[in-house]
Each structure stands twice: as C-alpha cells, then as structure tokens.
Amino acid sequence: MLATLIELLCSTPVATLHALAQWRYGVAGLMALALLRVGIRRRNAMCSAVAAMVLAALVTRPAL
C-alpha cells in the first residue's frame, strides 16, 4: 500500500508535465521531453542539449 502511494506521488509531477507539454506545445514538446529524458538517463550531453534547445525555442516562441 505504501509503495503504491509513493509511486503515485512520484509519477504525478511527470504526468502533469506530460499533459501540459501536450496541451501547450504539441508533439514537438513531447518529443523534446522524451529526448531530454533519454539524454539524462543515458548521460548523453548531446541529446540533453538538443532537447533543451528545442524546449527553449518552444517556450520563447511567443516572445519572438
């Protein structure tokens, strides 16, 4: 019971971020988040950097 509760609490921010990215930034945002996750898990700086640049471009797009 406790393990399930802890797992739910840990996955809630991830699910919220996923829903926000899908609603606000579309498929490109979801792909960038997935690439960022892969880059962090595999400790690949190139993947992480590309994903961060795509996310930054998506976030600052309205300011341009």
Side-chain angles (χ1 to χ4, degrees):
M1 173 81 180
L2 183 60
T4 305
L5 181 61
I6 291 172
E7 185 177 325
L8 178 65
L9 291 175
C10 289
S11 67
T12 302
V14 175
T16 304
L17 185 62
H18 178 269
L20 178 65
Q22 185 177 14
W23 170 70
R24 178 102 188 223
Y25 304 113
V27 176
L30 290 177
M31 295 301 288
L33 282 177
L35 189 60
L36 184 63
R37 180 177 178 192
V38 168
I40 291 171
R41 282 187 173 236
R42 299 202 180 219
R43 296 182 182 181
N44 186 334
M46 183 62 75
C47 266
S48 299
V50 169
M53 286 189 292
V54 170
L55 286 171
L58 287 171
V59 169
T60 60
R61 181 176 50 191
L64 296 176

